[in-house]
Amino acid sequence: MQNRNSSNSLVTLLEKNRYIIWSFILVITIIWGYAWVLMKESLDYMGPFTFNAFRFGIGSLTLLGIIGILKLELPAKNEWKHLIIVGILQTSIVFLLVMYGLRFIDAGKSSVLLYSMPIWSSMFASKILGEKLAGVKVIGLTIGMAGLLTILGWDIVLVQDMQVIFGELLIIIAAISWGASNVYYRLKLQDIGKLQVTAFQMLFGTIGIILAAVMMEWGEPIHLNANSIFYVLFTGVLASALCFSLWFLLLSVIDMVTATLSTLLVPIFGLLLSALILGEELTTGILTGSVLIIAGIGIAQLSKRRKE
């Protein structure tokens, strides 16, 4: 009861102070943007699948611990199979492809391509959930797709590096899988608390990642030192578990359109921090495509808000 009262008091505080809300959003999106830098650097110390196994193993255990502390209700037995499917789509497939793709392309570009997810979510929602795509939303999604094609087209025509193009396609497939998981969640798991869904789908997704790491990277060297341990703890505990917990608290006081628009700060910070810390080049193709993707998603979401 005390935990629930504390949570309600914090929600009340957030509702009364919008500056605190936007400060939290800014901090969370910066952390998520910086996580892309660490994901890229982690490849110097261990295989991509092994890093994900450490990251999400620690992250899911932390989330389960938070659920235990808050004494939240566990999902029903008939919901476990849906959590497994979401875990495979949203954690296993997405981050196995993302981390493997990072071997070939820059972290900043990867963050932009993955956060094209709302484009794919909207398309799946239109086909599966029967949501109408009309007017400004179609324009926004078209602009977003043009941004994807700009980045790919630039590398196909000018860079002509098949490894780079392969890595980009992996990230785009990851974005499609993420979009599919969102629609599946709305079909099967919408009545469960978001924190519980995230914790258990991450747990089941981690099992898939561990299996991939054992099959693909067994026997490969793992260099555990101050840097690599920091990367795992930062991305697993802070960026995954704690930031998601705070994010779900924010979702109780802000609408989903504002939340979606806020997440577009992540690829922006991902691009900037990757350029500053890793020295990644921001080419005309990347910048043009990124602006189009972010603007397109923003336009599509703003049209939804106007309709509501």
Side-chain angles (χ1 to χ4, degrees):
M1 180 65 71
Q2 185 176 359
N3 287 326
R4 289 185 179 179
N5 291 336
S6 300
S7 178
N8 291 334
S9 299
L10 188 52
V11 169
T12 303
L13 175 64
L14 291 173
E15 288 174 341
K16 292 180 178 179
N17 196 325
R18 307 299 291 184
Y19 293 107
I20 296 179
I21 291 175
W22 285 103
S23 296
F24 280 164
I25 288 174
L26 185 62
V27 170
I28 289 171
T29 51
I30 289 174
I31 289 173
W32 283 343
Y34 180 53
W36 283 91
V37 175
L38 301 187
M39 287 159 61
K40 180 72 172 180
E41 291 193 320
S42 71
L43 297 177
D44 294 333
Y45 299 95
M46 64 190 76
F49 301 163
T50 302
F51 172 78
N52 270 337
F54 281 128
R55 172 190 176 180
F56 289 109
I58 292 174
S60 58
L61 291 176
T62 304
L63 278 174
L64 291 173
I66 293 172
I67 288 174
I69 292 172
L70 297 178
K71 298 180 179 179
L72 299 178
E73 186 178 355
L74 297 180
K77 288 184 178 179
N78 64 329
E79 294 164 337
W80 289 110
K81 62 180 180 181
H82 302 308
L83 288 166
I84 292 172
I85 292 172
V86 172
I88 292 171
L89 289 172
Q90 188 169 322
T91 296
S92 298
I93 294 177
V94 170
F95 286 96
L96 287 173
L97 294 179
V98 163
M99 285 301 297
Y100 197 76
L102 277 171
R103 301 179 73 171
F104 310 111
I105 62 175
D106 292 342
K109 185 194 294 185
S110 298
S111 67
V112 172
L113 293 175
L114 184 65
Y115 275 83
S116 68
M117 172 273 296
I119 296 174
W120 309 108
S121 288
S122 297
M123 291 182 177
F124 286 131
S126 174
K127 294 291 185 182
I128 299 172
L129 302 179
E131 293 186 1
K132 292 183 179 179
L133 289 178
V136 179
K137 190 165 188 178
V138 172
I139 296 173
L141 295 177
T142 302
I143 293 172
M145 287 299 296
L148 284 175
L149 294 175
T150 298
I151 293 177
L152 279 175
W154 179 276
D155 288 335
I156 290 172
V157 174
L158 297 178
V159 177
Q160 295 183 346
D161 187 329
M162 290 308 298
Q163 285 192 331
V164 170
I165 296 167
F166 174 67
E168 290 171 350
L169 290 175
L170 289 180
I171 306 296
I172 291 173
I173 294 171
I176 294 171
S177 182
W178 187 6
S181 75
N182 289 340
V183 173
Y184 191 86
Y185 160 78
R186 289 175 61 185
L187 279 172
K188 302 295 185 179
L189 296 169
Q190 199 164 2
D191 295 331
I192 307 177
K194 292 184 176 64
L195 191 60
Q196 291 97 313
V197 171
T198 299
F200 285 99
Q201 70 82 15
M202 189 182 292
L203 175 65
F204 293 129
T206 301
I207 294 172
I209 290 173
I210 291 172
L211 291 175
V214 170
M215 289 189 292
M216 302 296 292
E217 296 176 355
W218 184 263
E220 291 188 13
I222 301 174
H223 302 290
L224 293 178
N225 53 36
N227 287 336
S228 60
I229 293 173
F230 169 72
Y231 299 159
V232 168
L233 292 178
F234 186 98
T235 56
V237 177
L238 186 58
S240 297
L242 297 184
C243 277
F244 271 118
S245 300
L246 183 56
W247 183 254
F248 292 137
L249 181 65
L250 291 174
L251 287 178
S252 63
V253 293
I254 62 176
D255 59 90
M256 285 304 299
V257 175
T258 300
T260 302
L261 290 173
S262 300
T263 59
L264 295 181
L265 291 171
V266 177
I268 293 175
F269 288 129
L271 279 171
L272 294 176
L273 294 173
S274 296
L276 289 173
I277 298 173
L278 301 178
E280 294 179 355
E281 182 183 2
L282 298 179
T283 64
T284 302
I286 293 174
L287 291 174
T288 304
S290 300
V291 169
L292 289 173
I293 291 171
I294 293 169
I297 295 171
I299 290 170
Q301 290 298 316
L302 287 174
S303 71
K304 182 178 178 182
R305 167 179 279 186
R306 195 174 297 115
K307 182 179 179 182
E308 291 171 350

